Amino acid sequence: MKEISIIIPTYNSELTVEKTVLSILNQDGPANFEIICVDDGSTDGTWDKLRKLRTQNSEVSCFRQTNQKQAAARNNGLTHASGKYIMFADADDYWLPGTLEAVVQNLSSELTIFGIEKDYNTVTIVETKSGMAGSKTRNELITNYLTNNLEMDVGVWNKVFSKAIIDEYHLSFSNGNFFEDSLFVMKYLVHVNPNNISYVEMPLYVLNKHENTTTSQFSPDIVPRAEKYISEVSRILKRQGLTINQQQKIIEGLNCRLSLHISHHYMRYAPNWTAKWQKEFLQTKLTNGQIIKNGTIPKKYRVAWLLLVHFPKVYRKLYVNQKPQV
């Protein structure tokens, strides 16, 4: 049995996957790990790259499937994983030196979260302070995760998961290109003791924010995917012993965050975005009163919502101008 299984889904990644794998293999420090690459029906030279890496490195194994998207590839990887702990990486990202050492030092935790670097064309943005840090109870942990998260919180690639928890509760990824990471993390968190989470507040994973990723191209699927995500979260919350009012406040907070996320996606990538569409979209989600009165929503998001409802053109100009270019 391996100590750590690192699962890497690949799709047309021949230009980047070798860097990803080598960034893991070249880590210092003792660790008994395996790298499981699952190719999701690539049409370029990715599979040949993977076979070469497997031949040269005993830690690497690779599997092939028809194109079913990233969630299915990760689930496939989980079926082959023998490690006590599970990690994920994307085939166009990479680990920084010191990652494996930090992972090994925190293997006694039910969950380890470390910081990330987001690498844009023009700037690098670092996230190291989780929105969940300081949560004392599971309800507080879940509320903070759903309403006060950063990108480092909702991704799976900067975390160490317990295989025992994944297996016991039959956790898997739902197929789709939006929010599958967020939902997997949510399903995992409800089985974790908030006091047994390790936060490594240093950037160790580099997230490549380039123009060819799924989330950097316009997709109208983002709206039904968000609705499905909210529906799944609502179902999970009902089993957590929360009052109806608590559930409602959390869902309103999540709806606020997702609606802002969708609005930003449309602002940047939708050719038919209009101020009229923006106002109508937000007004179908929540009222201004709900936003103002909901104490789970951080102030910055309440302000963003109100600005976006009443001054959408000004907001869009400010947002697009300050957002790093992929």
Side-chain angles (χ1 to χ4, degrees):
M1 174 181 283
K2 299 293 184 180
E3 190 77 8
I4 307 165
S5 296
I6 304 150
I7 298 170
I8 305 176
T10 66
Y11 178 74
N12 288 353
S13 310
E14 66 172 325
L15 299 179
T16 60
V17 68
E18 185 173 18
K19 179 177 180 179
T20 304
V21 172
L22 290 180
S23 75
I24 300 171
L25 292 172
N26 293 336
Q27 293 283 315
D28 292 330
N32 182 17
F33 67 86
E34 62 180 352
I35 299 174
I36 301 171
C37 299
V38 181
D39 187 62
D40 187 39
S42 291
T43 57
D44 64 356
T46 299
W47 182 244
D48 291 334
K49 277 286 177 66
L50 294 180
R51 289 193 300 172
K52 181 179 178 181
L53 287 164
R54 178 183 60 189
T55 300
Q56 295 175 342
N57 304 277
S58 61
E59 299 93 342
V60 177
S61 60
C62 52
F63 303 90
R64 210 174 190 181
Q65 64 180 38
T66 58
N67 182 248
Q68 300 169 60
K69 300 193 185 299
Q70 182 170 259
R74 286 172 171 164
N75 289 338
N76 192 346
L78 284 171
T79 66
H80 295 286
S82 65
K84 293 170 59 179
Y85 300 93
I86 300 294
M87 299 180 68
F88 298 93
D90 285 352
D92 49 0
D93 302 333
Y94 59 94
W95 286 15
L96 290 174
T99 301
L100 188 58
E101 182 180 1
V103 167
V104 171
Q105 289 175 352
N106 291 282
L107 284 182
S108 60
S109 301
E110 291 180 325
L111 176 65
T112 299
I113 304 172
F114 43 87
I116 64 173
E117 285 187 8
K118 299 193 286 187
D119 186 11
Y120 294 86
N121 282 339
T122 57
V123 68
T124 296
I125 296 176
V126 174
E127 293 181 358
T128 59
K129 185 71 172 178
S130 168
M132 295 181 285
S135 300
K136 301 300 183 185
T137 66
R138 188 167 291 160
N139 288 347
E140 187 179 0
L141 178 72
I142 293 169
T143 300
N144 284 333
Y145 174 70
L146 292 173
T147 64
N148 195 33
N149 60 64
L150 299 175
E151 190 163 7
M152 65 172 284
D153 293 316
V154 297
V156 296
W157 13 253
N158 65 325
K159 296 177 177 63
V160 186
F161 301 93
S162 165
K163 181 69 154 48
I165 292 177
I166 291 173
D167 289 345
E168 180 178 358
Y169 297 102
H170 308 289
L171 304 183
S172 63
F173 290 87
S174 302
N175 211 355
N177 283 334
F178 290 97
F179 313 116
E180 72 269 22
D181 285 32
S182 305
L183 184 56
F184 183 88
V185 175
M186 170 66 185
K187 291 188 291 187
Y188 189 89
L189 285 175
V190 299
H191 304 296
V192 171
N193 181 344
N195 298 309
N196 200 15
I197 299 176
S198 293
Y199 297 96
V200 181
E201 295 186 349
M202 56 188 299
L204 296 172
Y205 187 90
V206 177
L207 194 62
N208 188 6
K209 307 289 281 187
H210 58 72
E211 60 185 4
N212 294 319
T213 60
T214 303
T215 54
S216 64
Q217 303 173 50
F218 176 65
S219 173
D221 286 348
I222 192 173
V223 175
R225 293 290 183 191
E227 292 171 350
K228 182 179 179 182
Y229 177 45
I230 292 175
S231 176
E232 288 292 318
V233 169
S234 297
R235 184 175 59 82
I236 294 170
L237 290 178
K238 289 178 181 178
R239 302 199 300 262
Q240 302 310 307
L242 298 167
T243 67
I244 298 297
N245 184 61
Q246 287 173 322
Q247 293 177 47
Q248 180 180 342
K249 293 297 184 184
I250 293 173
I251 290 300
E252 286 178 358
L254 175 60
N255 210 339
C256 173
R257 291 300 310 278
L258 290 181
S259 296
L260 289 173
H261 178 71
I262 292 168
S263 298
H264 293 162
H265 183 79
Y266 267 75
M267 282 178 190
R268 295 201 72 189
Y269 307 118
N272 59 341
W273 181 93
T274 64
K276 182 175 183 292
W277 173 89
Q278 184 64 76
K279 289 184 177 182
E280 291 177 350
F281 172 73
L282 292 180
Q283 288 169 349
T284 63
K285 299 301 180 182
L286 295 167
T287 66
N288 287 352
Q290 287 173 306
I291 292 293
I292 293 170
K293 295 176 183 178
N294 192 317
T296 71
I297 303 174
K299 182 179 178 180
K300 61 181 178 180
Y301 299 123
R302 281 182 275 166
V303 171
W305 178 283
L306 294 173
L307 287 174
L308 194 48
V309 167
H310 297 288
F311 307 101
K313 290 184 178 179
V314 174
Y315 185 105
R316 181 176 186 265
K317 183 176 181 180
L318 292 172
Y319 174 77
V320 172
N321 286 341
Q322 64 86 33
K323 186 70 174 176
Q325 296 299 306
V326 297

